[in-house]
Amino acid sequence: MIYNEEFETLPREVLEVLQLKRLQQVVQRVYHTVPFYKEAFDKAGVSPNIKSLDELRHFPFTTKNDLRDNYPFGLFAVPMDRVVRLHASSGTTGSSTVVGYTKRDIENWSELMARCFFGAGLTQNDIVHNAYGYGLFTGGLGVHYGIEKLGASVIPMSGGNTKRQIMLLQDFGPTAICCTPSYALTLAEQGEAMGIDMRKLKLRVGILGAEPWSETLRKQIEDALDITAMNIYGLSEIMGPGVAMECAEGKEGMHVFEDHFLVEVIDPATGDVLPPGEEGEVVFTTLTKEAFPLIRYRTRDLSRLIPEPCVCGRSLYRLERVMGRSDDMLIIRGVNVFPSQIEDVLVGIDGLDPHYQLVVNRQGTLDTIEVKVEVNDRLFSKADEIKTLQKIEQKIIKDLKDFLGVTAKVKLVEPNSLPRFEGKASRVIDNRKF
Ligand code: ADP
Ligand code: ZN
């Protein structure tokens, strides 16, 4: 289902004409209103009179550090009297960054969120349980406005209070849920512990995102809640949730709303633009944002573009599932690995629950990793069979080595002994001193 047929299916040549027009406007605007950009463009010797999309590759990047240096409002491109909303990123990596929106920005954001929901098969007949955190985090309110824009009913639940969430899931009978994948798991697990058959709820769709998760975890969540779980991507700096979203027909890769965001994938080491299809760091330029436009923002998220046409009919390129960002990549004895890849291996092994923690240490010059993972209740009740546990331990060690090339220490732990998360999961304990 396509919410904005006109803009989501534009032939690529037409889309590119629109992108160029919007790019020309935003580049001019930031050059004349934000001192940071004037200085950066002048220094790089690029003119704001941009003639083709291709010229963008010569423009300087904007980084999280630039945002920090201009904290809080230094990169805003409109006077404060036009700003109607402020948000701040959750600060998963370092101090938070502040973003602002005009009325128009909020309208556009709501429409893009509505596109996501409609694309996932939701209509005004749906009731949506929104368990993303409300507040400075963009997740809660971003999703909220999108549901209202679509005309569905929103339950503004926010995060936390898991028992109450489960009660309302039963009583209000929402047909869709929005939260992080890790929280979807927590809900499934708590519900089961309360003796509730979570598969019997009216839920049929989950719009899950805000953190990396694997295809295997998707299957587990779909199975535990009897829903279709869809992947949604976004980041506060660029807008919040709704920058890209899977479609129900393809369910493979997330369509980037390219009429609002220009996406590039670059080689993170050289900064060169890579051809579509190659993996690298994702870089966005906002094309329509008024309050807080960003030119060539380096997300540090690693992915690749899927330029092949999608069965759904959208002409928008897709972004492959983001497995992590360059700054949460672990380098264990020279092997690059993301926590989400380890998750993928763990979730594929029988007898384990998808709750794990990675402890990274440094011994001398060597990095070591310990994987702690919960065994499930069924297995744990048979734990006297130490052999079974040993076998699983051996299997994890072998699979991590075979699939990822990582040598790990493995520790099986009791069900429910590792932390649970209401928002974004934080599973890595890095004891290395840099
Ligand atoms: P913070 O940078 O403080 O975490 P955000 O809440 O803006 O702030 O988080 C955005 C980041 O979350 C993205 O850059 C990306 O790394 C991650 N993210 C969001 N959605 C997804 C998703 N569907 N899959 C993988 N990672 C995601
Ligand atoms: Zn599609």
Side-chain angles (χ1 to χ4, degrees), residues 64 89-92 137 209-212 231-237 301 322 325 424:
K64 191 119 181 161
S89 89
S90 50
T92 321
F137 175 54
E211 65 185 7
N231 196 3
I232 185 168
Y233 168 89
L235 61 164
S236 328
E237 293 88 333
D301 289 333
V322 173
R325 18 167 124 179
K424 291 174 190 254

Side-chain angles (χ1 to χ4, degrees), residues 247 250 255 310 312 314 318:
C247 59
H255 289 286
C310 181
C312 70
R314 287 179 182 80
R318 285 169 289 163

Side-chain angles (χ1 to χ4, degrees), residues 57 263-268 270-281 296 303-305:
R57 68 179 64 214
V263 57
E264 301 169 281
V265 173
I266 62 160
D267 177 334
T270 64
D272 292 341
V273 177
L274 298 171
E278 280 186 33
E279 184 172 302
E281 179 179 345
R296 303 200 86 201
S303 179
R304 66 179 199 95
L305 284 171

Side-chain angles (χ1 to χ4, degrees), residues 220-389:
Q220 281 225 346
I221 294 171
E222 291 189 327
D223 191 50
L225 295 173
D226 193 23
I227 58 172
T228 302
M230 313 268 301
N231 196 3
I232 185 168
Y233 168 89
L235 61 164
S236 328
E237 293 88 333
I238 297 307
M239 179 176 78
V243 173
M245 168 82 196
E246 283 181 336
C247 59
E249 296 83 357
K251 225 179 156 193
E252 199 190 329
M254 306 168 288
H255 289 286
V256 178
F257 295 119
E258 291 176 282
D259 48 336
H260 292 269
F261 312 109
L262 207 141
V263 57
E264 301 169 281
V265 173
I266 62 160
D267 177 334
T270 64
D272 292 341
V273 177
L274 298 171
E278 280 186 33
E279 184 172 302
E281 179 179 345
V282 182
V283 170
F284 287 109
T285 298
T286 64
L287 294 175
T288 53
K289 270 205 339 192
E290 293 181 333
F292 187 64
L294 277 175
I295 307 296
R296 303 200 86 201
Y297 182 67
R298 289 185 67 153
T299 61
R300 292 176 293 180
D301 289 333
L302 300 174
S303 179
R304 66 179 199 95
L305 284 171
I306 309 175
E308 288 79 23
C310 181
V311 287
C312 70
R314 287 179 182 80
S315 54
L316 308 168
Y317 281 174
R318 285 169 289 163
L319 201 58
E320 195 174 72
R321 176 181 285 281
V322 173
M323 286 302 265
R325 18 167 124 179
S326 50
D327 40 16
D328 61 28
M329 186 174 77
L330 301 169
I331 306 178
I332 308 298
R333 299 175 186 239
V335 179
N336 299 352
V337 59
F338 288 103
S340 55
Q341 291 177 302
I342 295 181
E343 170 187 296
D344 211 19
V345 169
L346 296 177
V347 176
I349 297 174
D350 228 24
L352 299 181
D353 272 347
H355 301 288
Y356 63 95
Q357 195 171 57
L358 309 176
V359 186
V360 186
N361 278 301
R362 178 162 292 170
Q363 284 172 355
T365 54
L366 284 185
D367 293 341
T368 62
I369 185 165
E370 181 179 36
V371 177
K372 292 184 182 169
V373 57
E374 289 183 11
V375 293
N376 64 29
D377 277 324
R378 252 175 308 127
L379 195 84
F380 194 69
S381 56
K382 293 191 295 187
D384 46 319
E385 296 169 34
I386 288 185
K387 266 207 184 122
T388 322
L389 293 180

